[in-house]
Amino acid sequence: FDQLFLADLPDRQQIARVARQLPWQPDLIVIGELLEHLDQPGRVIENCVKCFEGRPEVIITVPNAFSIKALARVMIGREKVSDDHVAYFSWATVRQLVSRFDLKVRSGHWYRASFRPHIAEAAIDLLLKPLLWLSPQLADGIIVRCGHQPSQSVSALADDLAVDRQADPEGLVGQVQEK
């Protein structure tokens, strides 16, 4: 790396310092598989959005609290919780969180984790593939692409979105697109 910048994401002064040091301004910020580890996830989104000029797009990925696998594990009394996760998100909570910082969800997608440590997991994935094609919101994770817009209520955002059940050929990603 020619230039490497270190900053504590919840600390706005550190993010602002990095933003001033960059010889360019980003047009995209990716917050991938991070928010579920943070005590104050909203502060990180706010800092990333407010400290960079040009109003960059934001892509966020998080595990889905309501994935079919997570729900099945809870029903049999074996909730799978990572030791370093302090929060779980649903489609509605991600939309609500980003709307607090004048971001509008432009599209949403779901992903199916491709980890296959056991043959049983691979078999379950194969059985779930048709269900996830029909109901992608039950997938393992959520991806949202956000842009800057005036604030809207969560119900207004829900009215603006329609589920597109066209999955990718591998069945790994479903998506939500604006009408």
Side-chain angles (χ1 to χ4, degrees):
F1 298 103
D2 291 337
Q3 295 181 334
L4 184 62
F5 298 93
L6 178 65
D8 183 15
L9 294 175
D11 185 328
R12 182 167 299 167
Q13 289 179 345
Q14 288 187 33
I15 297 296
R17 179 183 44 80
V18 167
R20 286 189 304 271
Q21 290 176 335
L22 290 175
W24 46 267
Q25 288 295 308
D27 52 3
L28 174 67
I29 296 173
V30 178
I31 304 173
E33 303 300 308
L34 175 67
L35 296 181
E36 66 274 10
H37 299 269
L38 303 174
D39 293 328
Q40 298 177 331
R43 184 172 299 220
V44 170
I45 295 171
E46 180 180 33
N47 290 346
C48 289
V49 167
K50 291 190 175 182
C51 290
F52 292 99
E53 296 176 16
R55 304 174 68 100
E57 276 194 316
V58 178
I59 293 179
I60 297 171
T61 69
V62 290
N64 183 6
F66 297 118
S67 76
I68 191 70
K69 291 178 192 174
L71 294 174
R73 286 184 189 107
V74 169
M75 289 174 27
I76 62 170
R78 295 182 183 215
E79 183 178 356
K80 184 177 179 181
V81 178
S82 177
D83 291 341
D84 57 343
H85 287 188
V86 295
Y88 284 89
F89 295 91
S90 69
W91 175 244
T93 59
V94 171
R95 279 192 326 228
Q96 175 65 24
L97 184 61
V98 300
S99 73
R100 292 177 180 181
F101 307 104
D102 294 331
L103 292 172
K104 179 181 179 183
V105 174
R106 292 190 176 154
S107 65
H109 308 269
W110 291 272
Y111 65 87
R112 185 168 48 102
S114 60
F115 308 112
R116 296 213 169 100
H118 304 290
I119 189 98
E121 284 270 339
I124 290 169
D125 281 350
L126 190 59
L127 291 171
L128 291 177
K129 191 173 182 178
L131 176 63
L132 294 177
W133 185 81
L134 293 170
S135 299
Q137 67 273 17
L138 297 174
D140 296 326
I142 302 166
I143 305 167
V144 294
R145 182 178 65 93
C146 308
H148 292 269
Q149 296 292 329
S151 296
Q152 291 186 19
S153 69
V154 172
S155 60
L157 283 173
D159 292 342
D160 288 346
L161 299 173
V163 174
D164 177 1
R165 295 198 181 349
Q166 297 297 320
D168 68 311
E170 295 298 315
L172 295 175
V173 178
Q175 59 185 343
V176 170
Q177 300 230 338
E178 287 189 47
K179 289 183 180 175

